[in-house]
Amino acid sequence: MITLRKHVFLCYTLQVVWCVLVVAEEWTVTIPNQISGLMGSCVLIPCSFTHPSAYIPTNVAWYQYSKLPGKYPVVFSRTKPGDIVEHYSGRTELVGRASDGDCSLMINGMILEHNGEDIYPWVDEVSKSVFAFFQWRVTLEVTDTAPRPQLSVSEVQREGGNITVSCAVLHTCPSSPPSLSFGDQRGVVQGYHTEEIQGRWRVLSTISFVARAEDHEKVVACNVTHPGGQTAAGEVVLDVSYAPRSVSVSGGSTVVQVGTNLSLSCVSDANPPASSYLWYLRRDGLVMPLNHSTETAAVTDLHPDENVFHCTAINPLGRSNSSSSFVVTAEYKPSILANSSCFYHAGQVICRCQARARPRAKVLWMVDGGPLFPSSDPTTFPQNHTVMDIWAAEGTYENVSVTCLVNNTHGYDKLLLSVFVKAPPTNVSISQLPARPLEGEKVTLSCLGHGHLPISSYRWYRVFEEQSVLLREDSGSLSLSVTRDVGQFRCSALNEMGECSSDTMAVNVEYAPAILPLSFCSGNDGQVRCECVVDSHPVAKIIWTPWSIQDNQTHNITDLLNWRILRSILIGPKVDDMGDVLCNSTNEHGSAFLKLPFIAGETSAQRSLFYGGVGGALLLVLSFASFLFWRFYSTKRRDCRVTLEEVELKGALQVIHHDPTDCPGSPEARVHWI
């Protein structure tokens, strides 16, 4: 009997053990070991369990784990709500159903007292001998600072392309997730809410927009607001690549002096920065490339006035030209232009001085080396930076000099201006070579003169009493063998303005004396008169030797010279035995003498006849000389044919003054030195 009982008890025990083992294998709890919640926000603790298939759970409670025996603080219980500890009271709720194996707990409005506490679920007060639920606990962690959101941006950020900025934050309160915003950033916003593992959810917000160059280095912020008022923010800096833009040229001063070295920079806004450059210079409407490819350019050949610079900046995304030009004004000292000149008009000398300069030049005048005096009101031409002034003087001037001087802050320039009038040749004369030829030698006559325009031809004349015979033309010289009676000559010089003749010139021929047959001696009334007529050149010296004249007697000797004819007259007392008288003539080329026989007994009638003849001859000579003078003067008037023409001269030339007496009766052809 006892043995049977033992067997029945053993069988029952084995059956209970088997049932316990089977039940224990079917109970499980899935719960995170730790979960964080933001103070003031909620936290949803995910919890699930499994149970034996024959068992139907109906209720789930949550407890705070305590090591004190008999202490089981209630966190949540539908059946014993009054037992819930104070800092959980009204804050907890079961969000799942026990029959579904869901034991998830929501804690609202978390406070710091929850921090560090371990809590666990319990299903239907199942005996801990069946399943010890407290072994599956979750540790609460409460923070008072909201975490920063995580931001990311598209890898490719290029002007004109789409950029997407993502902002994400993890939380534990899916019923009231945090809100995300991108502030005033333009674009299309999309939101996503997904569950992560271990009781965490993820809120993701994206904003998409078309990238602009202005967006480079722009800060895009994402603001997070959690339930309970906790906030956080994050930001990302955009790195937008774009082609160069806002290209401009910069440098130092925009006003420099010609010859100054200039350093220019090509400034651009580009990402990545510009890696190469092109430089251009625009001058006088032409665009010329410069031999520079770097950001800076050294310019050493600045031209006068305006130099306009442009540049082009290049990076891998494109290129762009400078939107505005950089103008460098190169100033320079004055330069008098070639058209500065003087001219003669209506008896007035007018000088014009024109010069380029930058800045504007002042014009000063100097007349005959006198002090400088300023111009009255010079005319300016801004388009070519030219200044012009005029100096004028009434009447005509001879040997007057006018200097134009222009200056500015960089220096000065000056020019001596001259003006003259075209006229026929002047100062026409004849020169002889050799100057003292002997009779029979060769002589060259040269026709000399000055003229503007230059002398183009000559004419040679042999002059007789009332007429001139043309000998030759064109040549300015005349060669001939000379005798004492070679005669007289004149020449004419011609240019396109007229002709002017020289004075008549007798060729200079030298020869020994010759006593002419006109020489004689006569006596009457106690007087002796002797005449010795000598032809010579140079003029001979005459010595009288009366043979019978006593040394103590007084004689009167008179010499009369007519060109080369020397008439020496000896008058003295008559003596009884007069004899012959000797006339001795001498010059450097020789001598001649003649015995003049004494003619006695000359009557008064003879003397009257003689002196009457001499007087008539003298009157005839004077009349002929008057005619020759009138003829010569008339010829001079005909030969000096004058035509004046006004001309303009640039620069300074040799000045030749024409004396109006060179061609009697002709208009004055004056040369004006201006």
Side-chain angles (χ1 to χ4, degrees), residues 247-267:
V247 181
S248 63
V249 178
S250 67
S253 175
T254 57
V255 179
V256 298
Q257 188 175 359
V258 169
T260 301
N261 294 337
L262 187 66
S263 180
L264 303 177
S265 297
C266 187
V267 181

Side-chain angles (χ1 to χ4, degrees), residues 140-155:
L140 299 179
E141 184 180 80
V142 180
T143 61
D144 60 356
T145 302
R148 292 171 60 88
Q150 298 175 346
L151 280 86
S152 63
V153 65
S154 305
E155 292 185 3

Side-chain angles (χ1 to χ4, degrees), residues 381-518:
F381 304 91
Q383 64 273 16
N384 57 3
H385 309 286
T386 300
V387 61
M388 184 188 73
D389 194 47
I390 293 178
W391 177 87
E394 295 291 338
T396 59
Y397 287 84
E398 294 182 3
N399 299 326
V400 61
S401 64
V402 176
T403 300
C404 169
L405 186 146
V406 290
N407 66 346
N408 65 5
T409 56
H410 300 300
Y412 72 93
D413 193 12
K414 65 179 180 178
L415 179 66
L416 178 66
L417 305 174
S418 60
V419 66
F420 53 82
V421 179
K422 287 183 178 180
T426 59
N427 297 333
V428 180
S429 62
I430 298 176
S431 68
Q432 173 185 314
L433 192 66
R436 300 179 60 190
L438 293 177
E439 187 176 15
E441 293 183 346
K442 290 283 186 179
V443 170
T444 299
L445 303 181
S446 298
C447 190
L448 306 177
H450 302 286
H452 185 77
L453 299 169
I455 297 172
S456 58
S457 63
Y458 300 86
R459 293 173 181 167
W460 286 96
Y461 300 89
R462 186 163 184 175
V463 180
F464 295 96
E465 293 180 353
E466 295 186 4
Q467 63 180 355
S468 297
V469 178
L470 179 63
L471 297 179
R472 63 179 303 175
E473 293 183 278
D474 296 331
S475 177
S477 62
L478 179 67
S479 297
L480 56 137
S481 297
V482 294
T483 61
R484 67 182 63 188
D485 58 349
V486 68
Q488 296 179 325
F489 299 86
R490 68 178 177 86
C491 70
S492 294
L494 299 89
N495 64 11
E496 67 179 44
M497 301 304 299
E499 177 180 4
C500 192
S501 293
S502 68
D503 293 335
T504 300
M505 185 194 83
V507 177
N508 181 33
V509 182
E510 296 189 358
Y511 47 89
I515 300 176
L516 302 181
L518 296 176

